[in-house]
Amino acid sequence: MTKPVVGKRLFSSLSSLSNKYTKYVPTSGVYPKGYKVGAVSTGVKKNEQLDLSIIKSDSPANAAAVFTTNKFKAAPVQLSKRILDSKQNANINAIVINSGCANAVTGVHGLKDAEKIVEKVDQTIDPNITEHSTICMSTGVIGQRLQMGKILPNIPKLINENLGQDHEAWLKCAKGIMTTDTFPKLVSKQVTVNGQQYVIAGLSKGAGMICPNMATLLGFFVTDAPIAPSALQSILTYAVDRSFNCISVDGDMSTNDTIAALANGAAGGPTIDESTTDSFNLIRDEITDFAQQLSQLVVRDGEGATKFVTIKIKDALTYKDAHQVAKTISNSPLVKTALYGKDANWGRILCAIGYSDVPVNTEKTNVSFVPTDGSAELKLLVNGEPQQIDEERASEILQFKDLEISVELGTGGGADCSFWTCDLSHEYVTINGDYRS
């Protein structure tokens, strides 16, 4: 996607953002030691939009990643997985990301292009590197070859002249991976684990083709904590299952989805692995909370979305069941269009619960709208019995941009899941009907 049209979203600069999005863009941040980041425009996108980003660790870092489950995995997904496997999730120097072209369904030529980009980054960082030490990601239109004549010459320019450690460098990096996003998604925070301070920073992109098991979605976490490779993979998988795999915009899954993490240990302290139970659990929970913040920004930026909806499933037999019910509700076009129309059609919610194919006690099921202003919830279904709904009150609640839908399945299992989704609007059709124009 390279040019804005009527109804299409602008994503090239903060100056083009409306007030409803600028509040999600941080004006400052705290960033981990030992990383340099940045972005440049290679000319792949029009109007000098940033389209090539790099996150570089000053020293080789441990790495982990969670990839799309789509069978048509893009070339960068295939290559990055192969590199991480061969390096046993250690000694990774950088992550390079291009936007504007997904390099997906491009055959052997696409794989060779991805390898050339990785080799160029490696050799620019250190001419003595003899094996791949960079992982790569791409995002944009599927089925097109990368414009290598524009990308390759700009890699040395980016690494040697345009990397930094300050907030502006991180913000540029986040802008460089955007496609239909309306704002750069960047989160950072400092955490304390058993008296040792660490910093986590992350960026993501995504606004459409978003569904559990990720979507046209890229996300990157980096930390200066000393986390062992196997522990980092375990932590990332756990965090993604409770964040990026708990969001949905439109129910579609892409070919390029990747969440990757680097941990370079630059802050010092003892190595964190599964055997250091307290430290491991603490950093895992901090990263999970961090991942949820970052993933929710993707939903808030859903293509054409007017609502941010939290779905809380309670009292399922298992977490897997709770997740399945939440996902089914989130992906229902009827639920999503009702929310857009501010229609309290709770029967659509109940219908989705019923076909989610998990155990439900229909005589103890409860469904409510929970307003975000702190006022009383609006009960729609109580112990399987429909309630007399105050349509005026329902309309008031549905005017809010943020909404919570609470569902109790009444199984006695006690398992819960939180999920985040949005509505489906006319603008979504406009954006995606004209994506390649």
Side-chain angles (χ1 to χ4, degrees), residues 63-66 84 89 227-238 274:
V66 178
L84 289 177
N89 288 61
I227 307 175
S230 62
L232 186 62
Q233 184 64 60
S234 175
I235 288 169
L236 185 66
T237 300
Y238 180 94
E274 290 92 335

Side-chain angles (χ1 to χ4, degrees), residues 98-291:
N98 74 274
S99 61
C101 176
N103 192 15
V105 199
T106 47
V108 294
H109 295 293
L111 195 56
K112 289 179 180 178
D113 288 344
E115 288 177 338
K116 288 177 182 177
I117 289 174
V118 165
E119 289 167 1
K120 189 70 171 181
V121 173
D122 285 340
Q123 290 300 301
T124 303
I125 291 174
D126 182 356
N128 295 315
I129 291 177
T130 57
E131 58 182 16
H132 295 332
S133 299
T134 295
I135 55 177
C136 63
M137 315 297 165
S138 299
T139 181
V141 177
I142 294 171
Q144 296 182 359
R145 292 278 302 275
L146 293 171
Q147 298 182 50
M148 300 296 285
K150 294 180 178 180
I151 294 173
L152 288 181
N154 277 284
I155 289 175
K157 175 184 175 183
L158 173 54
I159 294 174
N160 296 327
E161 302 173 23
N162 289 275
L163 298 186
Q165 297 173 303
D166 61 8
H167 177 70
E168 288 306 312
W170 281 91
L171 197 57
K172 282 184 68 176
C173 192
K175 289 181 185 180
I177 66 174
M178 293 164 61
T179 52
T180 59
D181 307 65
T182 58
F183 64 91
K185 299 164 182 67
L186 174 64
V187 177
S188 64
K189 72 173 184 177
Q190 188 173 69
V191 301
T192 301
V193 177
N194 291 337
Q196 180 73 42
Q197 287 190 333
Y198 303 116
V199 176
I200 309 167
L203 48 138
S204 67
K205 65 80 50 185
M209 205 181 279
I210 303 294
C211 180
N213 294 323
M214 298 182 295
T216 183
L217 170 66
L218 301 180
F220 311 100
F221 310 162
V222 300
T223 181
D224 49 19
I227 307 175
S230 62
L232 186 62
Q233 184 64 60
S234 175
I235 288 169
L236 185 66
T237 300
Y238 180 94
V240 168
D241 281 345
R242 288 155 180 80
S243 58
F244 287 94
N245 279 347
C246 283
I247 62 174
S248 176
V249 169
D250 51 18
D252 266 341
M253 184 199 304
S254 177
T255 53
N256 290 60
D257 315 335
T258 302
I259 305 293
L262 299 178
N264 65 8
T271 299
I272 299 171
D273 59 27
E274 290 92 335
S275 67
T276 58
T277 307
D278 287 346
S279 297
F280 175 85
N281 289 338
L282 284 168
I283 196 79
R284 183 197 65 187
D285 292 345
E286 291 285 6
I287 289 177
T288 299
D289 176 74
F290 177 88

